[in-house]
Amino acid sequence: MAQLDTLDIVVLAALLLGTVAYFTKGTYWAVYADPYGSSLAGANGTAKAGKSRNIIETMEESDKNCVVFYGSQTGTAEDYASRISKEGHSRFGLKTMVADLEEYDFDNLDTFPDDKLAVFVLATYGEGEPTDNAVEFYEFIGSEDINFSEGGGADDKPLGNLKYVAFGLGNNTYEHYNSMVRNVDKYLTKLGATRLGAAGEGDDGAGTMEEDFLAWKEPMWAAVAEQMNLEEREAAYEPVFEVTEKDELTPEDDTVYLGEPNKNHLEGKQKGPFNGNNPFIAPIVESSEIFTAKDRNCLHMEISIAGSNLSYTTGDHIAVWPNNSGKEVDRIFKVLGKEHKRHTVIAVKGLDPTAKVPFPSPTTYDAAVRFHIEIGAAVSRQLVSGLAQFAPNDDIKAEMTKLGSDKDYFKQKVTNRHLNLAQLLEIEAKGHAWTKIPFSFLIEGLVKIQPRYYSISSSSLVQKDKISITAVVESVQRPDAPHILKGVTTNYLLALKQKQHGDPSPDPHGLNYAITGPRNKYDGIHVPVHVRHSNFKLPSDPSKPIIMVGPGTGVAPFRGFIQERAAQAKAGQSVGKTVLFFGCRKRSEDFLYEKEWEQYKEVLGDNFVLHTAFSRDGPKKVYVQHQMEEYGEEINKLLEQKAYFYVCGDAAHMAREVNTLLGKIIAKYRNVSETKGEEIVKAMRASNQYQEDVWS
């Protein structure tokens, strides 16, 4: 027999492979396309490879006539966008899709068809800024020399065909309340677009966000239905996701996600860039308790970012990715009657090409609930209304329907008692299990668990590879609540601290966290993190004076500021007056970093001044505002020398009062009216001389 040469062998092999492929349809080498396979997805604001950035093209190809865009920082705006999309479809037959603003270009909005609808759900972040995913859209739509695909500029009313709806998420404790939705509405109108219904505004500061949303959407839908000739139909639940139990897989299979955020993490390979889609599993190198009170905890932690390529500058935030407590995970499985299924492997896929599954799969019910779904959040009235159809019996259904339709009753029974979903279902079921709730309903109705942001309490000049955080562990007893309110992330951090200090089975407040992470990948005291850059910054010239107001853990970024100034002074730089107003309850219990302030004083001398207010140490309560009044003349003098003024802490009360008080101090010591004092403070804000890092 003649010998085969190399070329003959290659040709025969190719023919053999082709034959096998034909008869097996490629089964033996088909690869499951993992949407979470790349840790780079979304890393730089670009859409995933191969996905069109043309929204009109995407809508045409997927047969959609309504797109709901969202600009979201913490997931709330994304949740509202999802709810609008589902309701538009179920009640009015609209063919809807939800879209992340950063995944599309907007220069072709001038070709948006007049028989389609665009909805904008926009959160305002910080001091009137767009959320991270809305920056490019906001800069484009507000540009003075805007130019669209067909050449139209602002004066040509290029968006004459665009019909839109707008809802904003804001906080009235900030000066630029709901500025995103207000400005985008103004820009769109100026460009010729037509808004249907009023632009809605939700107020997180007043705690009325949910009711503001519900009150806005009914007249909005009426306006949309009239304009687009839609007829309302009886809404029925239609799942967005298909959940399939995969009996052939077990949690031990290395293709099954057990809480890993993407494929690189699943395979045990961390790969940057690390960001809001891809955390760095960072070692906690040090942790300590800095309260001396027995019933309250405040943690100081040092988190290493060495080798991650992450960087921060003083004043930035660190995001900590939490997981839900075992206690609440157990509760939800018990109330759903799914305890026997919790480690069953499931595959989740969108039933529509535009639906994005919020976590990687295949996974398990337990991993989805523990690592990906925000089960600890306050429950919304709209969600309760939707759950009525799955009630175990007619009596419970009637009660859930009443809760969903009567806002005062809902406030009394749910909001005031601070119930999460499982707690509410447990109370209402009276021992029955909610076995009829589809798991897809929970994925759609509850938001994806979000990273929590903490002000970094160290200086990048002093420790560039190590980030300090300062966090009070939330554990609050409210009069009407049947449960003690527990902060998800701070209790998770407390468990990590307990383990680091030798407790083999840390169980803070009975919450029992999976602190070693999926497949023990976080063992050795690690926590998933990324860094978010902030505009809360020291002046570039260290000789400029600064005044800082930071009671409680509001002092966190100021520890970093003062640490930096002490290092600059040690290096021989000229450092300006550095004044800190700090307040806490008792000097003996929660005077944060007391010894450190003394060390900085030794370095900075008279250039560091600390004013303290201990609210429970004397016969009368003393707060930082009282100390500001007492030293008002000093404050005004420094402001006249162009001192930068910083506030960090509670937005609703302290920060608002400090803002008002500063205007009064300026008025008093400059002998001008209080109105003029307010105007001066506003001008300071506008020029970045007054900066806030506050939370509600």
Side-chain angles (χ1 to χ4, degrees):
M1 186 177 167
Q3 279 197 303
L4 295 174
D5 64 18
T6 307
L7 181 60
D8 293 329
I9 293 168
V10 169
V11 170
L12 281 171
L15 285 168
L16 178 63
L17 280 171
T19 308
V20 173
Y22 178 81
F23 286 110
T24 66
K25 309 296 187 208
T27 302
Y28 293 125
W29 52 81
V31 177
Y32 166 67
D34 176 10
Y36 289 80
S38 170
S39 63
L40 305 180
N44 54 6
T46 57
K48 294 178 183 70
K51 181 180 172 188
S52 172
R53 290 186 62 84
N54 182 327
I55 187 59
I56 291 138
E57 196 177 87
T58 301
M59 291 177 78
E60 293 291 350
E61 285 173 1
S62 52
D63 191 27
K64 304 295 182 190
N65 60 3
C66 173
V67 57
V68 188
F69 293 109
Y70 64 85
S72 188
Q73 196 72 28
T74 62
T76 311
E78 184 178 358
D79 178 45
Y80 282 133
S82 171
R83 286 160 63 178
I84 290 168
S85 173
K86 279 184 281 202
E87 194 170 339
H89 176 67
S90 63
R91 281 178 63 184
F92 299 98
L94 282 167
K95 296 169 183 173
T96 58
M97 65 174 282
V98 176
D100 184 333
L101 279 168
E102 75 177 348
E103 292 185 0
Y104 293 93
D105 298 322
F106 293 92
D107 57 349
N108 60 355
L109 271 187
D110 57 336
T111 64
F112 199 89
D114 64 0
D115 61 345
K116 298 188 192 298
L117 178 70
V119 180
F120 295 91
V121 183
L122 304 168
T124 299
Y125 167 55
E127 287 301 307
E129 297 147 37
T131 55
D132 292 347
N133 75 317
V135 171
E136 283 183 39
F137 163 71
Y138 188 60
E139 287 175 353
F140 172 77
I141 209 74
S143 169
E144 287 188 16
D145 55 353
I146 194 167
N147 215 18
F148 286 95
S149 61
E150 297 194 346
D155 296 337
D156 307 318
K157 305 286 182 193
L159 303 187
N161 282 342
L162 179 70
K163 296 183 183 69
Y164 74 96
V165 161
F167 182 77
L169 293 81
N171 186 319
N172 73 18
T173 59
Y174 291 86
E175 185 185 0
H176 302 283
Y177 172 61
N178 258 315
S179 65
M180 264 300 282
V181 75
R182 292 178 182 183
N183 289 340
V184 167
D185 184 43
K186 182 174 72 184
Y187 299 147
L188 291 173
T189 305
K190 185 181 171 188
L191 293 164
T194 304
R195 188 186 68 239
L196 306 184
E201 293 187 356
D203 186 1
D204 194 39
T208 57
M209 181 72 76
E210 178 70 13
E211 291 304 333
D212 295 336
F213 173 73
L214 296 179
W216 162 79
K217 74 180 179 66
E218 288 312 316
M220 176 276 289
W221 282 129
V224 168
E226 183 182 352
Q227 179 71 39
M228 298 184 73
N229 295 317
L230 304 174
E231 282 193 24
E232 186 163 2
R233 58 191 191 176
E234 188 174 343
Y237 172 64
E238 294 178 48
V240 175
F241 301 113
E242 178 183 76
V243 179
T244 310
E245 294 184 354
K246 309 291 281 184
D247 295 330
E248 70 276 19
L249 292 173
T250 73
E252 285 71 42
D253 286 308
D254 58 11
T255 57
V256 175
Y257 290 84
L258 297 182
E260 296 91 347
N262 55 46
K263 195 172 182 185
N264 281 331
H265 283 270
L266 178 69
E267 293 172 351
K269 300 178 301 213
Q270 286 207 75
K271 189 176 174 187
F274 299 107
N275 50 41
N277 301 301
N278 181 39
F280 173 61
I281 311 304
I284 296 173
V285 291
E286 211 179 296
S287 59
S288 59
E289 172 63 60
I290 47 177
F291 278 177
T292 56
K294 287 179 184 169
D295 58 339
R296 294 162 67 223
N297 299 94
C298 184
L299 305 175
H300 175 87
M301 286 187 158
E302 299 284 346
I303 297 169
S304 173
I305 53 169
S308 68
N309 262 348
L310 282 171
S311 64
Y312 76 102
T313 53
T314 312
D316 281 347
H317 300 122
I318 186 169
V320 175
W321 293 45
N323 55 70
N324 289 306
S325 74
K327 183 177 185 178
E328 291 306 319
V329 174
D330 292 347
R331 190 194 307 273
I332 206 158
F333 280 110
K334 186 177 180 189
V335 85
L336 295 176
K338 250 187 166 53
E339 288 164 297
H340 62 299
K341 291 262 189 177
R342 62 193 292 169
H343 298 298
T344 299
V345 176
I346 54 171
V348 183
K349 71 171 188 179
L351 290 170
D352 179 291
T354 65
K356 286 200 303 188
V357 181
F359 48 81
S361 86
T363 185
T364 64
Y365 287 115
D366 185 271
V369 169
R370 189 180 297 276
F371 289 96
H372 298 295
I373 300 174
E374 189 77 82
I375 60 172
V379 63
S380 74
R381 185 155 65 88
Q382 189 172 354
L383 182 65
V384 170
S385 190
L387 282 164
Q389 64 193 303
F390 306 118
N393 59 45
D394 288 343
D395 289 344
I396 298 170
K397 182 177 182 179
E399 175 68 4
M400 294 293 278
T401 303
K402 185 180 180 186
L403 284 169
S405 57
D406 185 332
K407 72 175 187 181
D408 294 328
Y409 188 60
F410 182 82
K411 187 173 184 220
Q412 174 200 340
K413 291 280 187 178
V414 183
T415 310
N416 291 351
R417 299 170 81 194
H418 303 273
L419 300 178
N420 65 35
L421 178 63
Q423 290 165 352
L424 173 66
L425 295 180
E426 188 177 59
I427 289 165
E428 294 302 333
K430 298 179 176 63
H432 294 89
W434 292 74
T435 54
K436 298 178 198 168
I437 299 176
F439 196 66
S440 57
F441 186 91
L442 294 185
I443 300 172
E444 295 158 29
L446 297 174
V447 299
K448 188 178 189 309
I449 198 164
Q450 296 294 321
R452 273 44 169 195
Y453 294 94
Y454 297 91
S455 300
I456 293 174
S457 56
S458 54
S459 158
S460 55
L461 179 70
V462 176
Q463 47 181 72
K464 73 180 180 66
D465 288 336
K466 209 163 57 167
I467 286 174
S468 304
I469 62 170
T470 310
V472 166
V473 178
E474 190 182 359
S475 178
V476 184
Q477 179 72 67
R478 294 273 165 81
D480 297 327
H483 312 275
I484 294 175
L485 304 180
K486 303 290 184 187
V488 172
T489 311
T490 52
N491 280 282
Y492 168 49
L493 292 173
L494 178 58
L496 287 164
K497 181 249 170 190
Q498 289 174 346
K499 183 163 190 206
Q500 190 163 48
H501 287 260
D503 186 335
S505 307
D507 189 17
H509 305 116
L511 295 180
N512 176 27
Y513 284 89
I515 57 176
T516 61
R519 294 182 169 90
N520 294 325
K521 287 174 181 170
Y522 304 172
D523 205 4
I525 325 296
H526 285 71
V527 65
V529 300
H530 71 271
V531 171
R532 182 174 74 186
H533 297 296
S534 155
N535 294 324
F536 194 73
K537 294 286 171 246
L538 279 164
S540 53
D541 177 0
S543 69
K544 283 208 181 311
I546 61 172
I547 302 163
M548 300 161 286
V549 182
T553 52
V555 82
F558 302 138
R559 175 184 181 263
F561 281 15
I562 297 164
Q563 192 180 73
E564 182 147 318
R565 289 202 147 195
Q568 288 168 329
K570 265 187 179 172
Q573 287 181 266
S574 169
V575 172
K577 198 86 168 178
T578 303
V579 179
L580 172 64
F581 288 88
F582 170 74
C584 62
R585 292 184 187 179
K586 296 187 172 187
R587 178 187 281 273
S588 61
E589 288 185 1
D590 51 2
F591 187 0
L592 300 181
Y593 303 115
E594 181 180 6
K595 296 284 185 289
E596 283 191 31
W597 306 132
E598 292 168 11
Q599 292 164 17
Y600 298 138
K601 179 77 178 169
E602 283 176 26
V603 178
L604 293 167
D606 291 343
N607 273 337
F608 177 47
V609 179
L610 174 64
H611 297 297
T612 54
F614 304 107
S615 62
R616 300 190 185 179
D617 268 351
K620 284 167 69 177
K621 289 194 173 178
V622 180
Y623 296 112
V624 286
Q625 296 92 309
H626 297 118
Q627 292 294 84
M628 280 179 63
E629 273 190 289
E630 188 175 335
Y631 295 96
E633 191 171 359
E634 176 192 359
I635 289 171
N636 180 60
K637 201 175 286 179
L638 290 170
L639 291 178
E640 288 183 321
Q641 294 166 25
K642 297 292 179 232
Y644 278 58
F645 189 87
Y646 301 90
V647 185
C648 181
D650 162 47
H653 304 291
M654 182 276 298
R656 183 178 272 187
E657 287 171 23
V658 165
N659 180 81
T660 305
L661 178 58
L662 191 63
K664 289 180 176 174
I665 286 170
I666 289 169
K668 178 179 176 181
Y669 291 103
R670 297 187 194 179
N671 201 21
V672 295
S673 69
E674 287 193 3
T675 307
K676 178 67 177 168
E678 285 172 22
E679 286 171 9
I680 292 168
V681 171
K682 272 191 180 170
M684 284 170 60
R685 283 177 173 276
S687 67
N688 246 15
Q689 191 188 345
Y690 186 126
Q691 296 179 31
E692 282 184 331
D693 182 3
V694 295
W695 54 84
S696 52

